[in-house]
Amino acid sequence: MRDQLGRRHFLTLAGAAAVAVAVVPEARASGDLFTLGVASGDPQPDGVVLWTRLAPEPVAPDGYGGMPDKRYQVKWEVAEDPTFRRIVRRGVEHAVREWGHSVHAEVHGLRPDREYWYRFVVGDQISPVGRTRTAPALFSRLNELTFAFASCQAYTDGFFTAYRHMADEDLDLVVHLGDYIYEGGGAGTIGRAHIPTAEVFSLADYRVRYGQYKSDPNLKAAHAAAPWVVAPDDHDVENNWAGDISQIDTEPDQDPAVFRQRRAAAYQAYYENLPLRRTSMPRGPEMQVYRRLTFGNLLQLNVLDTRRFRTDQLECVRGCDDRFDPARTMLGAEQEKWLLDGLGRSHARWNVLGNQIFAFEADHDAGESERYGMDTWDGYAAARQRLFDGLVQRKVDNFVMITGDAHRSVAADLKLNFADPSSRTVGTEFLGTSISSGGNGVDTDALGVTWLAENPHMRFHNSQRGYQRCVVTRSGWRTDYRVVPEVTVSGGPVITRAGVTVEAGRPGVADVA
């Protein structure tokens, strides 16, 4: 998926594109309307969704971003070149206060597997230019796909240096697996205190928090460089929530009805600030998160929702036989059926789950005792077994899970029976570290030592910050764990800590280099 005019050429020329369009003055708001940048997402063979949000004052306390209560006509343009000499599609959307003056333009009629550039126009203001790419045609032969995946970007914990480097990669896609914002208060120690300073509950406060995060120049650069596919995790609403259940006993949303109101606010702000299609537009406390995207006959990406339909977490950590209760669910019956049916029908070489929390078994205790986290798939062991049994029954080949949440990196074999190291390997999981959450991190910590010693299916571990770059071909998959040395100061280099490979037709990790 490569054109001769590359992303770096786009970065050079995009700044000049703003002078090339003639505009007609329309309704105006004072200040720069495009402080939050632009983004694209959910690529299909004939188009993508284009996003922006008008917000001259992105952290205004009322959550309206400095915008008056007016309806704004927002023009968009898509071109085959970053100077917009070859415009191929134009359209108009309307930004309204009810949806935070956000814009989600669903563009159709583009050519498959092609690079495009886009921008927005409001009155005499022209947005920054973004680069995007359509998906290959359904079932078409695709030889290579390069994408990154990331998660967990606590603003107070560190700078988004990793995103600056991600923007410099030549990527076809970025997958974000949750914790785009953190809902808590706190100031941290590096001069990046949360706004508002307290935990967020209302729509206005969630909007302000997104305004703060999305004002970060490195995050804006990564959004403008490639299309994104996104899914929320817990902190996008509240830490470790499950279904209609809040997990924090001291907060006012212990009543499920009150928690649903909070989730409705969080979902709306999430949608307003990310490049999602109208099929994911929230309806009160409900939002369609799980969905499927295909990239020719090379890769099928199944994006999961591991929060909304799950059973509540167990409270034990040792001797938790209830985690094997078949009534416990991670995905809910409908999503579980959707997933397995789709995997069974897949014609793709690689079958991938975009998954918020890790699925490999992780014994946290050294020695004879065992201890497992109850928020991960370990707390839903019967549901995990149903998934893995379903893969075997449907003869699903080249199964890979990409995962976030844990603020550390692991490459692991997925075993049909984790208690038996010699049992069948059904796939591979790449757990990816955080962008900034947890601070600087280290190459190896005490938990990493224990994990590698107690869990023979784990083949690599690292607990620094960064992101993952995946190069997928018909014969193999390589995940490069890209790490930055520190996030508590701005800037710094990125290195590849390890490249982990999987061979097509041979499930599990083939090599760590």
Side-chain angles (χ1 to χ4, degrees):
M1 293 180 70
R2 295 287 182 269
D3 292 338
Q4 291 183 342
L5 184 59
R7 187 204 53 76
R8 289 176 176 81
H9 195 192
F10 150 63
L11 292 175
T12 301
L13 296 179
V19 301
V21 65
V23 297
V24 178
E26 296 167 348
R28 299 186 180 213
S30 60
D32 178 9
L33 297 178
F34 298 109
T35 59
L36 303 182
V38 299
S40 66
D42 277 16
Q44 295 179 351
D46 73 333
V48 296
V49 56
L50 307 179
W51 172 91
T52 193
R53 179 180 164 217
L54 310 183
E57 300 173 26
V59 295
D62 61 6
Y64 292 126
M67 293 292 292
D69 188 7
K70 293 182 180 179
R71 178 184 176 96
Y72 283 80
Q73 181 174 283
V74 182
K75 300 176 183 178
W76 54 264
E77 296 177 334
V78 177
E80 293 179 329
D81 66 296
T83 60
F84 286 77
R85 291 188 176 93
R86 299 191 304 277
I87 295 174
V88 294
R89 287 291 181 273
R90 288 187 173 96
V92 174
E93 298 290 328
H94 290 92
V96 297
R97 171 171 275 199
E98 289 79 5
W99 289 96
H101 287 98
S102 62
V103 176
H104 299 76
E106 297 190 20
V107 182
H108 299 282
L110 302 179
R111 295 184 298 163
D113 195 15
R114 291 294 186 274
E115 197 173 29
Y116 290 96
W117 289 263
Y118 62 94
R119 65 186 175 190
F120 298 91
V121 179
V122 178
D124 59 358
Q125 292 198 35
I126 303 169
S127 77
V129 174
R131 169 192 173 270
T132 193
R133 192 175 191 100
T134 53
L138 192 65
F139 305 129
S140 64
R141 182 178 178 86
L142 181 65
N143 292 321
E144 183 175 318
L145 181 75
T146 301
F147 73 94
F149 70 94
S151 64
C152 303
Q153 52 200 50
Y155 191 88
T156 56
D157 283 1
F159 291 88
F160 295 168
T161 305
Y163 279 132
R164 176 66 266 172
H165 294 293
M166 185 187 292
D168 290 336
E169 305 268 14
D170 194 5
L171 300 173
D172 300 312
L173 185 74
V174 174
V175 181
H176 196 281
L177 295 168
D179 294 351
Y180 192 95
I181 65 161
Y182 277 66
E183 81 288 7
T189 60
I190 60 171
R192 284 166 68 89
H194 265 150
I195 306 174
T197 57
E199 184 160 347
V200 296
F201 291 90
S202 68
L203 176 58
D205 285 349
Y206 276 106
R207 283 171 168 169
V208 171
R209 186 64 56 84
Y210 277 98
Q212 179 182 35
Y213 276 58
K214 294 188 73 67
S215 296
D216 185 277
N218 294 332
L219 179 56
K220 288 193 288 186
H223 269 298
W228 284 41
V229 174
V230 302
D233 194 17
D234 55 335
H235 287 288
D236 302 294
V237 180
E238 178 201 68
N239 184 41
N240 284 355
W241 67 279
D244 287 336
I245 301 171
S246 167
Q247 297 300 312
I248 312 299
D249 294 339
T250 59
E251 292 183 349
D253 57 356
Q254 283 296 292
D255 182 339
V258 177
F259 179 74
R260 284 192 292 270
Q261 293 174 359
R262 182 183 190 179
R263 191 173 72 227
Y267 274 175
Q268 179 167 340
Y270 186 86
Y271 174 81
E272 289 173 350
N273 285 281
L274 287 163
L276 288 159
R277 294 184 178 273
R278 292 185 185 91
T279 50
S280 294
M281 179 181 284
R283 291 167 176 80
E286 306 301 333
M287 182 170 70
Q288 184 64 42
V289 172
Y290 67 87
R291 59 202 189 277
R292 182 173 292 121
L293 297 92
T294 59
F295 296 86
N297 65 357
L298 182 65
L299 187 145
Q300 180 191 88
L301 174 62
N302 302 273
V303 181
L304 299 188
D305 184 343
T306 60
R307 289 289 163 190
R308 174 64 189 92
F309 308 105
R310 66 158 67 193
T311 312
D312 194 15
Q313 294 96 335
L314 296 169
E315 295 184 1
C316 56
V317 292
R318 291 182 177 88
C320 297
D321 290 343
D322 285 348
R323 68 193 187 100
F324 297 101
D325 182 352
R328 293 181 55 73
T329 181
M330 176 65 80
L331 305 177
E334 182 177 328
Q335 183 180 189
E336 192 173 300
K337 182 178 186 303
W338 165 86
L339 175 60
L340 287 171
D341 287 351
L343 289 169
R345 293 192 299 265
S346 174
H347 297 281
R349 176 63 59 94
W350 297 92
N351 295 287
V352 184
L353 268 58
N355 170 58
Q356 289 82 0
I357 39 85
F358 63 78
F360 55 74
E361 188 170 86
D363 179 5
H364 288 56
D365 274 359
E368 293 299 319
S369 64
E370 296 181 354
R371 178 168 57 94
Y372 300 100
M374 292 297 105
D375 186 57
T376 71
W377 284 84
D378 276 340
Y380 304 79
R384 177 176 61 198
Q385 195 64 53
R386 284 196 302 272
L387 171 60
F388 289 179
D389 288 344
L391 297 175
V392 173
Q393 293 162 7
R394 290 162 177 80
K395 300 180 180 179
V396 177
D397 292 326
N398 301 319
F399 177 72
V400 175
M401 299 180 79
I402 57 173
T403 304
D405 180 72
H407 310 172
R408 59 185 62 242
S409 297
V410 171
D413 297 339
L414 296 174
K415 308 297 288 186
L416 191 61
N417 179 5
F418 284 106
D420 178 6
S422 66
S423 73
R424 179 173 180 171
T425 299
V426 298
T428 310
E429 183 167 16
F430 294 109
L431 170 63
T433 189
S434 60
I435 290 289
S436 59
S437 301
N440 290 332
V442 294
D443 185 76
T444 301
D445 61 6
L447 180 59
V449 171
T450 298
W451 273 14
L452 290 175
E454 297 298 321
N455 302 279
H457 47 278
M458 294 188 190
R459 304 289 301 280
F460 168 76
H461 174 276
N462 175 268
S463 58
Q464 292 171 284
R465 307 285 79 83
Y467 61 95
Q468 295 64 235
R469 179 182 62 200
C470 303
V471 180
V472 185
T473 67
R474 305 196 67 78
S475 60
W477 177 308
R478 187 184 78 245
T479 294
D480 295 326
Y481 282 97
R482 304 277 280 163
V483 303
V484 295
E486 54 186 348
V487 295
T488 52
V489 296
S490 180
V494 65
I495 64 168
T496 299
R497 174 58 182 81
V500 183
T501 56
V502 178
E503 298 174 0
R506 295 182 61 189
V509 173
D511 186 50
V512 179

